[in-house]
mmCIF file of all heavy atoms in Angstrom:
data_model
loop_
_atom_site.group_PDB
_atom_site.id
_atom_site.type_symbol
_atom_site.label_atom_id
_atom_site.label_comp_id
_atom_site.label_asym_id
_atom_site.label_seq_id
_atom_site.Cartn_x
_atom_site.Cartn_y
_atom_site.Cartn_z
ATOM 1 N N GLU R 151 0.675 -8.970 22.226
ATOM 2 C CA GLU R 151 0.093 -10.143 21.579
ATOM 3 C C GLU R 151 0.768 -10.481 20.260
ATOM 4 O O GLU R 151 1.076 -11.631 19.987
ATOM 5 C CB GLU R 151 -1.411 -9.938 21.349
ATOM 6 C CG GLU R 151 -2.072 -11.043 20.551
ATOM 7 C CD GLU R 151 -1.975 -12.422 21.175
ATOM 8 O OE1 GLU R 151 -2.002 -12.513 22.428
ATOM 9 O OE2 GLU R 151 -1.893 -13.417 20.447
ATOM 10 N N LEU R 152 1.012 -9.435 19.456
ATOM 11 C CA LEU R 152 1.509 -9.714 18.110
ATOM 12 C C LEU R 152 2.869 -10.364 18.112
ATOM 13 O O LEU R 152 3.164 -11.140 17.183
ATOM 14 C CB LEU R 152 1.594 -8.369 17.332
ATOM 15 C CG LEU R 152 1.968 -8.493 15.860
ATOM 16 C CD1 LEU R 152 0.890 -9.201 15.046
ATOM 17 C CD2 LEU R 152 2.231 -7.082 15.274
ATOM 18 N N TYR R 153 3.717 -10.109 19.093
ATOM 19 C CA TYR R 153 5.102 -10.554 19.056
ATOM 20 C C TYR R 153 5.223 -12.061 18.840
ATOM 21 O O TYR R 153 6.165 -12.563 18.197
ATOM 22 C CB TYR R 153 5.833 -10.175 20.316
ATOM 23 C CG TYR R 153 5.735 -11.205 21.435
ATOM 24 C CD1 TYR R 153 6.739 -12.183 21.585
ATOM 25 C CD2 TYR R 153 4.676 -11.244 22.304
ATOM 26 C CE1 TYR R 153 6.634 -13.138 22.570
ATOM 27 C CE2 TYR R 153 4.562 -12.193 23.284
ATOM 28 C CZ TYR R 153 5.558 -13.152 23.428
ATOM 29 O OH TYR R 153 5.465 -14.119 24.399
ATOM 30 N N ARG R 154 4.267 -12.845 19.346
ATOM 31 C CA ARG R 154 4.371 -14.316 19.268
ATOM 32 C C ARG R 154 4.100 -14.813 17.854
ATOM 33 O O ARG R 154 4.276 -15.997 17.559
ATOM 34 C CB ARG R 154 3.399 -14.937 20.251
ATOM 35 C CG ARG R 154 1.928 -14.746 19.942
ATOM 36 C CD ARG R 154 1.008 -15.229 21.086
ATOM 37 N NE ARG R 154 0.889 -14.226 22.138
ATOM 38 C CZ ARG R 154 1.308 -14.471 23.413
ATOM 39 N NH1 ARG R 154 1.799 -15.617 23.733
ATOM 40 N NH2 ARG R 154 1.159 -13.522 24.315
ATOM 41 N N HIS R 155 3.648 -13.937 16.942
ATOM 42 C CA HIS R 155 3.272 -14.358 15.590
ATOM 43 C C HIS R 155 4.231 -13.873 14.507
ATOM 44 O O HIS R 155 4.061 -14.223 13.347
ATOM 45 C CB HIS R 155 1.856 -13.871 15.260
ATOM 46 C CG HIS R 155 0.828 -14.231 16.249
ATOM 47 N ND1 HIS R 155 0.428 -15.556 16.445
ATOM 48 C CD2 HIS R 155 0.141 -13.506 17.160
ATOM 49 C CE1 HIS R 155 -0.492 -15.602 17.417
ATOM 50 N NE2 HIS R 155 -0.673 -14.382 17.860
ATOM 51 N N ILE R 156 5.205 -13.036 14.898
ATOM 52 C CA ILE R 156 6.073 -12.423 13.881
ATOM 53 C C ILE R 156 7.535 -12.783 14.125
ATOM 54 O O ILE R 156 7.899 -13.327 15.098
ATOM 55 C CB ILE R 156 5.887 -10.869 13.843
ATOM 56 C CG1 ILE R 156 6.342 -10.231 15.183
ATOM 57 C CG2 ILE R 156 4.448 -10.503 13.535
ATOM 58 C CD1 ILE R 156 6.271 -8.718 15.178
ATOM 59 N N GLY R 157 8.383 -12.440 13.145
ATOM 60 C CA GLY R 157 9.812 -12.725 13.201
ATOM 61 C C GLY R 157 10.431 -12.505 11.836
ATOM 62 O O GLY R 157 9.726 -12.538 10.833
ATOM 63 N N GLU R 158 11.719 -12.271 11.791
ATOM 64 C CA GLU R 158 12.345 -11.920 10.512
ATOM 65 C C GLU R 158 12.255 -13.025 9.476
ATOM 66 O O GLU R 158 12.396 -12.756 8.261
ATOM 67 C CB GLU R 158 13.801 -11.490 10.756
ATOM 68 C CG GLU R 158 14.712 -12.529 11.312
ATOM 69 C CD GLU R 158 16.119 -12.008 11.548
ATOM 70 O OE1 GLU R 158 16.534 -11.052 10.804
ATOM 71 O OE2 GLU R 158 16.813 -12.491 12.442
ATOM 72 N N TYR R 159 12.041 -14.268 9.914
ATOM 73 C CA TYR R 159 11.885 -15.391 8.970
ATOM 74 C C TYR R 159 10.426 -15.868 8.869
ATOM 75 O O TYR R 159 10.116 -16.833 8.193
ATOM 76 C CB TYR R 159 12.787 -16.550 9.350
ATOM 77 C CG TYR R 159 14.250 -16.202 9.318
ATOM 78 C CD1 TYR R 159 14.977 -16.098 10.482
ATOM 79 C CD2 TYR R 159 14.924 -15.918 8.144
ATOM 80 C CE1 TYR R 159 16.317 -15.755 10.493
ATOM 81 C CE2 TYR R 159 16.260 -15.570 8.115
ATOM 82 C CZ TYR R 159 16.955 -15.501 9.283
ATOM 83 O OH TYR R 159 18.282 -15.134 9.286
ATOM 84 N N THR R 160 9.546 -15.170 9.586
ATOM 85 C CA THR R 160 8.143 -15.587 9.663
ATOM 86 C C THR R 160 7.214 -14.534 9.068
ATOM 87 O O THR R 160 6.445 -14.800 8.149
ATOM 88 C CB THR R 160 7.763 -15.856 11.135
ATOM 89 O OG1 THR R 160 8.673 -16.760 11.682
ATOM 90 C CG2 THR R 160 6.344 -16.397 11.244
ATOM 91 N N ASP R 161 7.229 -13.368 9.646
ATOM 92 C CA ASP R 161 6.297 -12.309 9.301
ATOM 93 C C ASP R 161 6.899 -10.987 9.687
ATOM 94 O O ASP R 161 7.313 -10.802 10.855
ATOM 95 C CB ASP R 161 4.959 -12.515 10.045
ATOM 96 C CG ASP R 161 3.873 -11.532 9.642
ATOM 97 O OD1 ASP R 161 4.154 -10.591 8.866
ATOM 98 O OD2 ASP R 161 2.720 -11.696 10.093
ATOM 99 N N VAL R 162 6.987 -10.056 8.735
ATOM 100 C CA VAL R 162 7.670 -8.796 8.965
ATOM 101 C C VAL R 162 6.756 -7.630 8.694
ATOM 102 O O VAL R 162 6.589 -7.233 7.547
ATOM 103 C CB VAL R 162 8.934 -8.689 8.050
ATOM 104 C CG1 VAL R 162 9.716 -7.408 8.352
ATOM 105 C CG2 VAL R 162 9.858 -9.905 8.293
ATOM 106 N N PRO R 163 6.098 -7.070 9.701
ATOM 107 C CA PRO R 163 5.209 -5.965 9.511
ATOM 108 C C PRO R 163 5.992 -4.652 9.228
ATOM 109 O O PRO R 163 7.193 -4.549 9.445
ATOM 110 C CB PRO R 163 4.448 -5.820 10.847
ATOM 111 C CG PRO R 163 4.666 -7.116 11.535
ATOM 112 C CD PRO R 163 6.015 -7.598 11.086
ATOM 113 N N ALA R 164 5.244 -3.650 8.780
ATOM 114 C CA ALA R 164 5.788 -2.313 8.536
ATOM 115 C C ALA R 164 4.687 -1.319 8.848
ATOM 116 O O ALA R 164 3.718 -1.681 9.507
ATOM 117 C CB ALA R 164 6.252 -2.206 7.090
ATOM 118 N N GLY R 165 4.852 -0.080 8.385
ATOM 119 C CA GLY R 165 3.803 0.919 8.616
ATOM 120 C C GLY R 165 2.791 0.999 7.496
ATOM 121 O O GLY R 165 2.988 0.443 6.436
ATOM 122 N N ASP R 166 1.731 1.710 7.779
ATOM 123 C CA ASP R 166 0.688 1.977 6.777
ATOM 124 C C ASP R 166 -0.001 3.234 7.312
ATOM 125 O O ASP R 166 0.550 3.973 8.145
ATOM 126 C CB ASP R 166 -0.273 0.792 6.646
ATOM 127 C CG ASP R 166 -1.199 0.903 5.424
ATOM 128 O OD1 ASP R 166 -0.731 0.541 4.334
ATOM 129 O OD2 ASP R 166 -2.336 1.345 5.583
ATOM 130 N N ILE R 167 -1.261 3.468 6.947
ATOM 131 C CA ILE R 167 -2.045 4.596 7.476
ATOM 132 C C ILE R 167 -2.052 4.561 9.010
ATOM 133 O O ILE R 167 -2.394 3.542 9.619
ATOM 134 C CB ILE R 167 -3.446 4.608 6.917
ATOM 135 C CG1 ILE R 167 -3.435 4.879 5.395
ATOM 136 C CG2 ILE R 167 -4.297 5.682 7.631
ATOM 137 C CD1 ILE R 167 -4.775 4.702 4.734
ATOM 138 N N GLY R 168 -1.670 5.663 9.636
ATOM 139 C CA GLY R 168 -1.690 5.753 11.092
ATOM 140 C C GLY R 168 -0.497 5.116 11.831
ATOM 141 O O GLY R 168 -0.424 5.187 13.038
ATOM 142 N N VAL R 169 0.390 4.519 11.050
ATOM 143 C CA VAL R 169 1.577 3.867 11.641
ATOM 144 C C VAL R 169 2.854 4.424 10.946
ATOM 145 O O VAL R 169 3.148 4.025 9.792
ATOM 146 C CB VAL R 169 1.494 2.341 11.555
ATOM 147 C CG1 VAL R 169 2.782 1.720 12.110
ATOM 148 C CG2 VAL R 169 0.292 1.830 12.242
ATOM 149 N N GLY R 170 3.503 5.347 11.610
ATOM 150 C CA GLY R 170 4.730 5.938 11.075
ATOM 151 C C GLY R 170 5.924 5.613 11.936
ATOM 152 O O GLY R 170 5.914 4.634 12.713
ATOM 153 N N GLY R 171 6.938 6.422 11.842
ATOM 154 C CA GLY R 171 8.143 6.142 12.614
ATOM 155 C C GLY R 171 7.954 6.073 14.123
ATOM 156 O O GLY R 171 8.590 5.253 14.797
ATOM 157 N N ARG R 172 7.077 6.936 14.661
ATOM 158 C CA ARG R 172 6.805 6.930 16.079
ATOM 159 C C ARG R 172 6.254 5.588 16.494
ATOM 160 O O ARG R 172 6.709 4.949 17.455
ATOM 161 C CB ARG R 172 5.826 8.043 16.452
ATOM 162 C CG ARG R 172 5.357 8.011 17.871
ATOM 163 C CD ARG R 172 4.310 9.123 18.140
ATOM 164 N NE ARG R 172 3.101 8.966 17.336
ATOM 165 C CZ ARG R 172 2.008 9.678 17.512
ATOM 166 N NH1 ARG R 172 1.947 10.632 18.453
ATOM 167 N NH2 ARG R 172 0.943 9.512 16.736
ATOM 168 N N GLU R 173 5.244 5.122 15.802
ATOM 169 C CA GLU R 173 4.571 3.838 16.129
ATOM 170 C C GLU R 173 5.515 2.654 15.966
ATOM 171 O O GLU R 173 5.544 1.746 16.817
ATOM 172 C CB GLU R 173 3.299 3.675 15.330
ATOM 173 C CG GLU R 173 2.146 4.618 15.664
ATOM 174 C CD GLU R 173 2.348 6.053 15.160
ATOM 175 O OE1 GLU R 173 3.196 6.252 14.242
ATOM 176 O OE2 GLU R 173 1.647 6.950 15.645
ATOM 177 N N ILE R 174 6.282 2.643 14.868
ATOM 178 C CA ILE R 174 7.214 1.552 14.627
ATOM 179 C C ILE R 174 8.238 1.489 15.779
ATOM 180 O O ILE R 174 8.632 0.424 16.263
ATOM 181 C CB ILE R 174 7.917 1.693 13.274
ATOM 182 C CG1 ILE R 174 6.931 1.521 12.117
ATOM 183 C CG2 ILE R 174 9.098 0.716 13.157
ATOM 184 C CD1 ILE R 174 6.349 0.133 11.965
ATOM 185 N N GLY R 175 8.673 2.667 16.231
ATOM 186 C CA GLY R 175 9.612 2.701 17.345
ATOM 187 C C GLY R 175 9.071 2.040 18.615
ATOM 188 O O GLY R 175 9.721 1.249 19.256
ATOM 189 N N TYR R 176 7.852 2.444 18.966
ATOM 190 C CA TYR R 176 7.223 1.863 20.178
ATOM 191 C C TYR R 176 6.986 0.356 20.012
ATOM 192 O O TYR R 176 7.186 -0.404 20.966
ATOM 193 C CB TYR R 176 5.888 2.530 20.458
ATOM 194 C CG TYR R 176 5.993 4.028 20.846
ATOM 195 C CD1 TYR R 176 5.004 4.913 20.506
ATOM 196 C CD2 TYR R 176 7.085 4.500 21.550
ATOM 197 C CE1 TYR R 176 5.046 6.254 20.829
ATOM 198 C CE2 TYR R 176 7.181 5.865 21.903
ATOM 199 C CZ TYR R 176 6.150 6.714 21.542
ATOM 200 O OH TYR R 176 6.237 8.062 21.896
ATOM 201 N N LEU R 177 6.567 -0.042 18.817
ATOM 202 C CA LEU R 177 6.332 -1.485 18.584
ATOM 203 C C LEU R 177 7.627 -2.275 18.655
ATOM 204 O O LEU R 177 7.683 -3.346 19.284
ATOM 205 C CB LEU R 177 5.684 -1.698 17.196
ATOM 206 C CG LEU R 177 4.248 -1.175 17.057
ATOM 207 C CD1 LEU R 177 3.887 -1.065 15.568
ATOM 208 C CD2 LEU R 177 3.267 -2.063 17.770
ATOM 209 N N PHE R 178 8.673 -1.743 18.066
ATOM 210 C CA PHE R 178 9.984 -2.458 18.067
ATOM 211 C C PHE R 178 10.515 -2.537 19.492
ATOM 212 O O PHE R 178 11.053 -3.582 19.946
ATOM 213 C CB PHE R 178 10.977 -1.756 17.160
ATOM 214 C CG PHE R 178 12.319 -2.487 17.093
ATOM 215 C CD1 PHE R 178 12.474 -3.599 16.301
ATOM 216 C CD2 PHE R 178 13.385 -1.995 17.824
ATOM 217 C CE1 PHE R 178 13.712 -4.264 16.252
ATOM 218 C CE2 PHE R 178 14.599 -2.647 17.787
ATOM 219 C CZ PHE R 178 14.769 -3.775 16.990
ATOM 220 N N GLY R 179 10.409 -1.446 20.225
ATOM 221 C CA GLY R 179 10.894 -1.457 21.581
ATOM 222 C C GLY R 179 10.226 -2.515 22.486
ATOM 223 O O GLY R 179 10.900 -3.228 23.260
ATOM 224 N N GLN R 180 8.923 -2.666 22.308
ATOM 225 C CA GLN R 180 8.215 -3.670 23.082
ATOM 226 C C GLN R 180 8.558 -5.101 22.629
ATOM 227 O O GLN R 180 8.688 -6.015 23.452
ATOM 228 C CB GLN R 180 6.697 -3.469 22.971
ATOM 229 C CG GLN R 180 5.826 -4.388 23.829
ATOM 230 C CD GLN R 180 5.917 -4.091 25.320
ATOM 231 O OE1 GLN R 180 6.756 -3.290 25.778
ATOM 232 N NE2 GLN R 180 5.085 -4.716 26.127
ATOM 233 N N TYR R 181 8.751 -5.287 21.316
ATOM 234 C CA TYR R 181 9.172 -6.602 20.819
ATOM 235 C C TYR R 181 10.521 -6.967 21.415
ATOM 236 O O TYR R 181 10.724 -8.099 21.859
ATOM 237 C CB TYR R 181 9.264 -6.586 19.281
ATOM 238 C CG TYR R 181 9.665 -7.904 18.652
ATOM 239 C CD1 TYR R 181 8.734 -8.873 18.382
ATOM 240 C CD2 TYR R 181 11.001 -8.172 18.416
ATOM 241 C CE1 TYR R 181 9.109 -10.078 17.829
ATOM 242 C CE2 TYR R 181 11.399 -9.366 17.884
ATOM 243 C CZ TYR R 181 10.427 -10.322 17.557
ATOM 244 O OH TYR R 181 10.824 -11.530 17.046
ATOM 245 N N LYS R 182 11.479 -6.040 21.391
ATOM 246 C CA LYS R 182 12.800 -6.285 21.946
ATOM 247 C C LYS R 182 12.725 -6.587 23.441
ATOM 248 O O LYS R 182 13.423 -7.504 23.949
ATOM 249 C CB LYS R 182 13.674 -5.036 21.660
ATOM 250 C CG LYS R 182 15.132 -5.132 22.188
ATOM 251 C CD LYS R 182 15.969 -4.024 21.575
ATOM 252 C CE LYS R 182 15.477 -2.662 22.028
ATOM 253 N NZ LYS R 182 15.894 -2.352 23.412
ATOM 254 N N ARG R 183 11.874 -5.842 24.129
ATOM 255 C CA ARG R 183 11.743 -6.031 25.586
ATOM 256 C C ARG R 183 11.222 -7.440 25.923
ATOM 257 O O ARG R 183 11.696 -8.097 26.824
ATOM 258 C CB ARG R 183 10.810 -4.981 26.132
ATOM 259 C CG ARG R 183 10.534 -5.014 27.594
ATOM 260 C CD ARG R 183 9.431 -3.982 27.944
ATOM 261 N NE ARG R 183 9.297 -3.787 29.361
ATOM 262 C CZ ARG R 183 8.333 -3.019 29.885
ATOM 263 N NH1 ARG R 183 7.478 -2.433 29.124
ATOM 264 N NH2 ARG R 183 8.253 -2.897 31.198
ATOM 265 N N ILE R 184 10.209 -7.867 25.151
ATOM 266 C CA ILE R 184 9.582 -9.153 25.447
ATOM 267 C C ILE R 184 10.471 -10.326 25.044
ATOM 268 O O ILE R 184 10.606 -11.304 25.766
ATOM 269 C CB ILE R 184 8.246 -9.285 24.694
ATOM 270 C CG1 ILE R 184 7.216 -8.262 25.309
ATOM 271 C CG2 ILE R 184 7.640 -10.701 24.851
ATOM 272 C CD1 ILE R 184 5.929 -8.173 24.499
ATOM 273 N N THR R 185 11.118 -10.243 23.889
ATOM 274 C CA THR R 185 11.875 -11.379 23.351
ATOM 275 C C THR R 185 13.321 -11.425 23.797
ATOM 276 O O THR R 185 13.987 -12.450 23.664
ATOM 277 C CB THR R 185 11.863 -11.338 21.812
ATOM 278 O OG1 THR R 185 12.549 -10.142 21.354
ATOM 279 C CG2 THR R 185 10.453 -11.356 21.263
ATOM 280 N N ASN R 186 13.828 -10.276 24.289
ATOM 281 C CA ASN R 186 15.245 -10.172 24.658
ATOM 282 C C ASN R 186 16.148 -10.431 23.444
ATOM 283 O O ASN R 186 17.222 -10.999 23.584
ATOM 284 C CB ASN R 186 15.611 -11.116 25.820
ATOM 285 C CG ASN R 186 16.967 -10.801 26.430
ATOM 286 O OD1 ASN R 186 17.354 -9.658 26.484
ATOM 287 N ND2 ASN R 186 17.663 -11.840 26.881
ATOM 288 N N ARG R 187 15.675 -9.988 22.283
ATOM 289 C CA ARG R 187 16.474 -10.140 21.043
ATOM 290 C C ARG R 187 16.455 -8.806 20.278
ATOM 291 O O ARG R 187 15.374 -8.215 20.122
ATOM 292 C CB ARG R 187 15.909 -11.223 20.136
ATOM 293 C CG ARG R 187 16.012 -12.632 20.685
ATOM 294 C CD ARG R 187 15.820 -13.666 19.582
ATOM 295 N NE ARG R 187 14.535 -13.486 18.881
ATOM 296 C CZ ARG R 187 13.393 -14.078 19.240
ATOM 297 N NH1 ARG R 187 13.352 -14.839 20.332
ATOM 298 N NH2 ARG R 187 12.282 -13.905 18.547
ATOM 299 N N TYR R 188 17.597 -8.368 19.795
ATOM 300 C CA TYR R 188 17.636 -7.223 18.903
ATOM 301 C C TYR R 188 17.542 -7.748 17.487
ATOM 302 O O TYR R 188 18.516 -7.881 16.767
ATOM 303 C CB TYR R 188 18.921 -6.407 19.090
ATOM 304 C CG TYR R 188 18.753 -4.982 18.630
ATOM 305 C CD1 TYR R 188 18.639 -3.942 19.571
ATOM 306 C CD2 TYR R 188 18.663 -4.669 17.283
ATOM 307 C CE1 TYR R 188 18.495 -2.629 19.153
ATOM 308 C CE2 TYR R 188 18.509 -3.353 16.852
ATOM 309 C CZ TYR R 188 18.428 -2.336 17.810
ATOM 310 O OH TYR R 188 18.225 -1.030 17.413
ATOM 311 N N GLU R 189 16.339 -8.044 17.102
ATOM 312 C CA GLU R 189 16.054 -8.656 15.806
ATOM 313 C C GLU R 189 15.616 -7.584 14.852
ATOM 314 O O GLU R 189 14.411 -7.334 14.640
ATOM 315 C CB GLU R 189 14.969 -9.746 15.995
ATOM 316 C CG GLU R 189 14.747 -10.637 14.802
ATOM 317 C CD GLU R 189 13.667 -11.686 15.091
ATOM 318 O OE1 GLU R 189 13.529 -12.118 16.264
ATOM 319 O OE2 GLU R 189 12.985 -12.093 14.150
ATOM 320 N N SER R 190 16.597 -6.901 14.255
ATOM 321 C CA SER R 190 16.294 -5.703 13.463
ATOM 322 C C SER R 190 15.305 -5.978 12.333
ATOM 323 O O SER R 190 14.485 -5.143 11.996
ATOM 324 C CB SER R 190 17.602 -5.142 12.878
ATOM 325 O OG SER R 190 18.462 -4.681 13.855
ATOM 326 N N GLY R 191 15.405 -7.162 11.740
ATOM 327 C CA GLY R 191 14.579 -7.462 10.561
ATOM 328 C C GLY R 191 13.176 -7.812 10.846
ATOM 329 O O GLY R 191 12.430 -8.131 9.925
ATOM 330 N N VAL R 192 12.691 -7.716 12.096
ATOM 331 C CA VAL R 192 11.308 -8.085 12.424
ATOM 332 C C VAL R 192 10.325 -7.002 12.032
ATOM 333 O O VAL R 192 9.133 -7.293 11.835
ATOM 334 C CB VAL R 192 11.167 -8.443 13.926
ATOM 335 C CG1 VAL R 192 11.271 -7.190 14.781
ATOM 336 C CG2 VAL R 192 9.878 -9.149 14.195
ATOM 337 N N LEU R 193 10.766 -5.772 11.943
ATOM 338 C CA LEU R 193 9.893 -4.656 11.504
ATOM 339 C C LEU R 193 10.657 -3.766 10.565
ATOM 340 O O LEU R 193 11.890 -3.579 10.734
ATOM 341 C CB LEU R 193 9.462 -3.783 12.709
ATOM 342 C CG LEU R 193 8.442 -4.345 13.675
ATOM 343 C CD1 LEU R 193 8.404 -3.493 14.966
ATOM 344 C CD2 LEU R 193 7.064 -4.353 13.029
ATOM 345 N N THR R 194 10.029 -3.204 9.570
ATOM 346 C CA THR R 194 10.654 -2.265 8.685
ATOM 347 C C THR R 194 9.995 -0.899 8.823
ATOM 348 O O THR R 194 8.900 -0.801 9.324
ATOM 349 C CB THR R 194 10.679 -2.737 7.214
ATOM 350 O OG1 THR R 194 9.318 -2.954 6.805
ATOM 351 C CG2 THR R 194 11.493 -3.993 7.077
ATOM 352 N N GLY R 195 10.699 0.138 8.349
ATOM 353 C CA GLY R 195 10.279 1.485 8.586
ATOM 354 C C GLY R 195 10.869 2.044 9.867
ATOM 355 O O GLY R 195 10.359 3.023 10.437
ATOM 356 N N LYS R 196 11.969 1.450 10.311
ATOM 357 C CA LYS R 196 12.627 1.855 11.522
ATOM 358 C C LYS R 196 13.391 3.165 11.356
ATOM 359 O O LYS R 196 13.650 3.577 10.246
ATOM 360 C CB LYS R 196 13.574 0.744 12.029
ATOM 361 C CG LYS R 196 12.928 -0.602 12.273
ATOM 362 C CD LYS R 196 13.906 -1.659 12.761
ATOM 363 C CE LYS R 196 14.915 -2.058 11.721
ATOM 364 N NZ LYS R 196 14.366 -2.680 10.513
ATOM 365 N N GLY R 197 13.730 3.793 12.489
ATOM 366 C CA GLY R 197 14.533 5.005 12.453
ATOM 367 C C GLY R 197 15.934 4.689 11.925
ATOM 368 O O GLY R 197 16.480 3.598 12.106
ATOM 369 N N MET R 198 16.553 5.692 11.291
ATOM 370 C CA MET R 198 17.845 5.494 10.681
ATOM 371 C C MET R 198 18.956 5.148 11.675
ATOM 372 O O MET R 198 19.862 4.429 11.370
ATOM 373 C CB MET R 198 18.265 6.771 9.907
ATOM 374 C CG MET R 198 17.754 6.851 8.478
ATOM 375 S SD MET R 198 18.161 5.354 7.517
ATOM 376 C CE MET R 198 19.940 5.355 7.636
ATOM 377 N N SER R 199 18.815 5.614 12.908
ATOM 378 C CA SER R 199 19.835 5.367 13.894
ATOM 379 C C SER R 199 19.775 3.980 14.507
ATOM 380 O O SER R 199 20.662 3.551 15.255
ATOM 381 C CB SER R 199 19.818 6.406 15.012
ATOM 382 O OG SER R 199 18.566 6.347 15.689
ATOM 383 N N TRP R 200 18.714 3.220 14.198
ATOM 384 C CA TRP R 200 18.569 1.875 14.792
ATOM 385 C C TRP R 200 17.999 0.855 13.814
ATOM 386 O O TRP R 200 17.157 0.089 14.103
ATOM 387 C CB TRP R 200 17.737 1.924 16.075
ATOM 388 C CG TRP R 200 16.464 2.719 15.983
ATOM 389 C CD1 TRP R 200 16.298 4.098 16.029
ATOM 390 C CD2 TRP R 200 15.135 2.198 15.813
ATOM 391 N NE1 TRP R 200 14.999 4.438 15.915
ATOM 392 C CE2 TRP R 200 14.230 3.307 15.766
ATOM 393 C CE3 TRP R 200 14.627 0.906 15.667
ATOM 394 C CZ2 TRP R 200 12.870 3.171 15.615
ATOM 395 C CZ3 TRP R 200 13.254 0.755 15.512
ATOM 396 C CH2 TRP R 200 12.389 1.864 15.477
ATOM 397 N N GLY R 201 18.598 0.885 12.592
ATOM 398 C CA GLY R 201 18.343 -0.196 11.670
ATOM 399 C C GLY R 201 17.449 0.120 10.483
ATOM 400 O O GLY R 201 17.175 -0.730 9.675
ATOM 401 N N GLY R 202 17.058 1.394 10.405
ATOM 402 C CA GLY R 202 16.195 1.749 9.242
ATOM 403 C C GLY R 202 16.971 1.938 7.978
ATOM 404 O O GLY R 202 18.246 1.876 7.946
ATOM 405 N N SER R 203 16.285 2.210 6.897
ATOM 406 C CA SER R 203 16.906 2.371 5.567
ATOM 407 C C SER R 203 16.633 3.756 5.032
ATOM 408 O O SER R 203 15.474 4.259 5.101
ATOM 409 C CB SER R 203 16.353 1.342 4.585
ATOM 410 O OG SER R 203 16.856 1.556 3.305
ATOM 411 N N LEU R 204 17.661 4.377 4.473
ATOM 412 C CA LEU R 204 17.428 5.591 3.697
ATOM 413 C C LEU R 204 16.476 5.271 2.547
ATOM 414 O O LEU R 204 16.429 4.147 2.014
ATOM 415 C CB LEU R 204 18.748 6.118 3.193
ATOM 416 C CG LEU R 204 19.683 6.736 4.219
ATOM 417 C CD1 LEU R 204 21.087 6.913 3.628
ATOM 418 C CD2 LEU R 204 19.140 8.062 4.725
#
Side-chain angles (χ1 to χ4, degrees):
E151 173 59 34
L152 185 67
Y153 89 93
R154 68 189 80 242
H155 306 292
I156 63 176
E158 61 182 333
Y159 299 110
T160 305
D161 185 353
V162 182
D166 193 83
I167 293 172
V169 179
R172 174 183 61 171
E173 290 75 17
I174 292 293
Y176 294 147
L177 291 164
F178 182 79
Q180 184 72 350
Y181 180 87
K182 180 167 63 77
R183 180 187 191 186
I184 292 171
T185 63
N186 193 33
R187 293 197 303 272
Y188 203 106
E189 191 178 328
S190 295
V192 72
L193 287 166
T194 56
K196 300 182 293 297
M198 274 307 302
S199 62
W200 47 280
S203 174
L204 289 167

